[in-house]
Amino acid sequence: MVVCFGEMLIDFVPTVSGVSLAEAPAFKKAPGGAPANVAVGVSRLGGSSAFIGKVGDDGFGYMLADVLKQNNVNNSGMRFDTTARTALAFVTLRADGEREFLFFRNPSADMLLHESELDTSLIKRARIFHYGSISLIEEPTRSTQLAAMSIAKKSGCFLSYDPNLRLPLWPSAEAARKGIMGIWDQADMIKISEDEITFLTGGDDPYDDDVVLKKLFHPNLKLLVVTEGSEGCRYYTKEFKGRVGGVKVKAVDTTGAGDAFVSGILKSLASDINIIKDEKRLREALFFANVCGALTVTERGAIPALPTEKAVLQFLPKVAS
């Protein structure tokens, strides 16, 4: 089972593409939050997953719990806060398909998960424990995440980390860098984007293998993956490194593409963690993950666009030929 820890929220996406938030005529609500997206993604691909996090004791919070249930994600680790609302994010898709964010979290329920509310038995049952960095921004979730990671580590879980940098949520760029790097050496697998490399290294070239290996690869790391959007991804392990080409599709909305990619690789690793030691099989798993990401950008929203295993398998022969 893949257990995902962190935020789940409501994304409000403009009903038309290529406009600023101010220009948007209307918004459509969509469930979101990177760790929750990954949990749904794994389940859609035929894997077993669970989500741990907090939402408001409000209509949106119960809707999100229901979205997980409908997608066969174990939501027994969810908690409902009576004092704070479910987080909201207005996400606009610019003309180039990239995103701008406006967050409403002051504070939102996801920031208020306490260590005493953790479903420890669920964490102990996980083969993979996946998390991001948003929960590290403020207490009490910061301590809760660190405690959950510690329980997972002691239980022999494989730890997966996607920093998922959202700079506007941090007090400062320096705080973001420090917070994200503060738990860097605990992960077994880390997935980062080119932009995140540039940010975390203080402006270094994200395409330079030496930069990546010297500054971002740590002794406990089993796999570091750098995603390059439609260009595919690069991978680094202690034994080998390389790149896997991407899949060209018509992008409608890039929201959730990274999460779909993570779902794809975690689904493969949950089936057999030893893929990491076999370069041929790792490359196949990463190509599968690339296809998951590519299919997600062809539809609007994150969770609604996450592909099923059937969709990916139908698409694979088309791109392999």
Side-chain angles (χ1 to χ4, degrees), residues 32 34 37 48 62 93 108 126 133 147 151 163 218 224 244 266 313:
N37 292 344
S48 165
Y62 289 102
L93 315 165
S108 52
S133 72
I151 294 163
H218 67 76
L224 176 66
V244 177
L266 293 186
L313 295 176

Side-chain angles (χ1 to χ4, degrees), residues 12 48 89 293 308:
F12 281 94
S48 165
T308 60

Side-chain angles (χ1 to χ4, degrees), residues 2-305:
V2 178
V3 174
C4 302
F5 174 97
E7 71 282 359
M8 187 171 194
L9 48 109
I10 303 278
D11 284 333
F12 281 94
V13 186
T15 49
V16 294
S17 297
V19 293
S20 69
L21 290 175
E23 294 163 343
F27 294 89
K28 186 181 174 194
K29 73 179 194 297
N37 292 344
V38 172
V40 172
V42 169
S43 177
R44 286 253 175 100
L45 293 168
S48 165
S49 68
F51 173 74
I52 293 176
K54 203 174 204 185
V55 291
D57 183 9
D58 52 44
F60 283 149
Y62 289 102
M63 179 200 125
L64 293 174
D66 202 45
V67 164
L68 293 179
K69 198 175 170 186
Q70 286 165 9
N71 283 283
N72 298 314
V73 175
N74 179 329
N75 66 3
S76 62
M78 275 183 100
R79 301 292 178 260
F80 300 85
D81 198 291
T82 52
T83 62
R85 296 270 185 247
T86 300
L88 308 179
F90 286 81
V91 187
T92 172
L93 315 165
R94 297 198 307 253
D96 59 5
E98 278 307 312
R99 297 162 294 167
E100 286 172 22
F101 295 93
L102 178 60
F103 294 96
F104 286 74
R105 319 168 69 231
N106 47 338
S108 52
D110 60 286
M111 300 156 75
L112 302 175
L113 182 69
H114 292 267
E115 192 180 330
S116 60
E117 296 175 300
L118 275 179
D119 188 335
T120 52
S121 66
L122 194 56
I123 299 170
K124 288 173 182 169
R125 277 165 38 210
R127 181 170 285 182
I128 296 175
F129 184 70
H130 176 73
Y131 49 88
S133 72
I134 310 256
S135 298
L136 298 172
I137 299 172
E138 286 194 43
E139 293 293 356
T141 44
R142 183 176 180 276
S143 294
T144 307
Q145 174 165 335
L146 297 176
M149 287 166 59
S150 173
I151 294 163
K153 198 77 164 169
K154 286 187 182 118
S155 306
C157 297
F158 181 92
L159 266 57
S160 160
Y161 182 28
D162 176 0
N164 200 29
L165 176 67
R166 293 286 178 267
L167 210 44
L169 294 178
W170 290 86
S172 67
E174 193 40 52
R177 207 172 280 120
K178 200 175 163 191
I180 288 170
M181 296 307 290
I183 60 165
W184 201 258
D185 61 353
Q186 294 190 48
D188 295 299
M189 177 186 117
I190 297 173
K191 171 250 161 196
I192 39 171
S193 66
E194 305 148 288
D195 295 348
E196 286 163 348
I197 295 177
T198 306
F199 174 76
L200 293 171
T201 58
D204 286 350
D205 179 4
Y207 303 102
D208 185 337
D209 282 350
D210 288 342
V211 166
V212 175
L213 289 167
K214 276 196 188 114
K215 294 200 174 179
L216 299 175
F217 201 90
H218 67 76
N220 303 323
L221 199 55
K222 297 183 176 76
L223 175 64
L224 176 66
V225 182
V226 179
T227 53
E228 300 180 353
S230 61
E231 296 301 310
C233 65
R234 282 177 283 150
Y235 58 90
Y236 303 85
T237 73
K238 286 191 182 78
E239 281 77 38
F240 43 75
K241 61 179 200 231
R243 64 188 318 280
V244 177
V247 181
K248 299 282 188 286
V249 290
K250 187 178 181 341
V252 175
D253 174 8
T254 57
T255 311
D259 301 329
F261 176 91
V262 172
S263 305
I265 190 67
L266 293 186
K267 159 69 167 57
S268 299
L269 289 173
S271 306
D272 185 1
I273 221 91
N274 291 318
I275 287 172
I276 286 178
K277 297 174 184 153
D278 180 339
E279 189 168 13
K280 182 175 178 289
R281 287 170 70 206
L282 177 63
R283 289 181 64 87
E284 285 167 4
L286 289 168
F287 187 67
F288 178 87
N290 282 346
V291 170
C292 291
L295 288 175
T296 303
V297 305
T298 61
E299 285 183 50
R300 266 182 213 278
I303 284 177

